[in-house]
Amino acid sequence: MAERTLRGTRMVSFSMETTENVVPSERQITTYVCDQGHRTELPFSVEADIPSTWECRCGLLGKLLDGPEPEPKKVKPVRTHWDMLLERRSVPELEELLEERLTLLRERRGEKPRKRSA
């Protein structure tokens, strides 16, 4: 089967609107500086909210030159497996479960059960 091509048509669409009577918004140039000294200059509209940080080309965060200090992000403490376990069980319950499991393992091995010291 032969491939068909579209001849005489344009695959790209063009806007019929013109730029007449269009007034671009007023711009301001903002400068961001990262810890390695890279300067990034970006145009923003005068009406736009200027972010206090911008990602630099090196991957670090650049801070707005002569701008307010960025607010630190809230960092959650790392929850470990032990922390999550303690949310569900108390330490005496965990000790009791451990003793039960150890008893089962000892029985499988053929060991004699140990006397529990209180």
Side-chain angles (χ1 to χ4, degrees):
M1 182 183 237
E3 288 186 31
R4 296 183 181 192
T5 58
L6 297 173
R7 291 196 175 143
T9 61
R10 294 182 123 172
M11 299 302 286
V12 181
S13 63
F14 291 97
S15 173
M16 301 303 283
E17 295 183 24
T18 64
T19 56
E20 291 179 25
N21 300 324
V22 175
V23 180
S25 65
E26 195 174 331
R27 304 280 179 194
Q28 62 180 337
I29 302 294
T30 57
T31 304
Y32 294 90
V33 181
C34 76
D35 290 340
Q36 291 188 354
H38 300 134
R39 296 173 65 92
T40 305
E41 294 184 350
L42 300 168
F44 282 98
S45 171
V46 174
E47 301 165 358
D49 292 330
I50 308 297
S52 59
T53 59
W54 193 268
E55 187 174 345
C56 182
R57 64 181 178 262
C58 66
L60 297 175
L61 278 181
K63 295 178 185 173
L64 183 63
L65 190 67
D66 300 329
E69 196 64 29
E71 296 178 16
K73 291 183 179 179
K74 293 181 181 177
V75 179
K76 287 180 152 181
V78 178
R79 286 178 53 200
T80 63
H81 179 72
W82 180 249
D83 295 331
M84 291 184 268
L85 190 61
L86 288 177
E87 290 174 5
R88 296 188 308 268
R89 309 261 188 194
S90 66
V91 174
E93 286 177 314
L94 291 172
E95 288 174 350
E96 183 180 334
L97 286 171
L98 176 64
E99 194 59 42
E100 287 175 16
R101 298 305 297 175
L102 288 174
T103 303
L104 283 173
L105 286 172
R106 289 181 185 125
E107 287 174 359
R108 284 186 191 166
R109 289 182 181 172
E111 295 178 16
K112 295 180 182 178
R114 293 184 180 180
K115 292 183 181 178
R116 198 169 179 206
S117 59

